[in-house]
Structure formats: C-alpha cells, structure tokens
Amino acid sequence: MDQQFKQGYRMHCVLSNLNRLDIDQLDDADQERVETARDLLKEVSLLTRPANGNGEDARADS
C-alpha cells in the first residue's frame, strides 16, 4: 500500500474515532483536547502535495 495512502487512511480513522466519542461524558479538559485534535486533523486534510510532485512536505501559510 502506498505510504501516502496509509497516512491519509490513518488520519481518517483517527478523525472518525474522535467524531464518534460522546464528549458530553468527558470532563471539560478532555472535551477541549478532543476538539483541538479534531480541528488539527481537519487542518491537515486541507494540505496538498506540491504541484511539482517532488515529495517534499507541503506547508500551509499562517
């Protein structure tokens, strides 16, 4: 399996698992951690590979 596909699949699985959590049952600190993790994983999904396809990491402008 292609390495990039594996990484994308893993991120998808982690995000799916986080979305399935019933965060209402967690304390405030854990709820915040879950929300932060969700947000970070969603940001990663917005990154794309460079157009030249040289395999270097893409970077998002801040």
Side-chain angles (χ1 to χ4, degrees), residues 43-58:
E43 285 181 32
V44 169
S45 69
L46 299 176
L47 299 177
T48 58
R49 294 187 66 79
N52 63 12
N54 65 5
E56 294 177 4
D57 289 341

Side-chain angles (χ1 to χ4, degrees), residues 24-42:
D24 294 334
Q25 301 297 321
L26 302 175
D27 63 28
D28 291 341
D30 287 338
Q31 286 180 13
E32 186 174 335
R33 289 182 190 105
V34 169
E35 290 297 325
T36 300
R38 285 180 185 165
D39 292 343
L40 291 171
L41 285 169
K42 288 175 184 175

Side-chain angles (χ1 to χ4, degrees), residues 8-28:
Y9 178 74
R10 287 183 192 134
M11 284 191 292
H12 168 75
C13 288
V14 171
L15 185 56
S16 294
N17 288 336
L18 286 172
N19 286 333
R20 280 188 228 133
L21 288 175
D22 184 8
I23 63 170
D24 294 334
Q25 301 297 321
L26 302 175
D27 63 28
D28 291 341

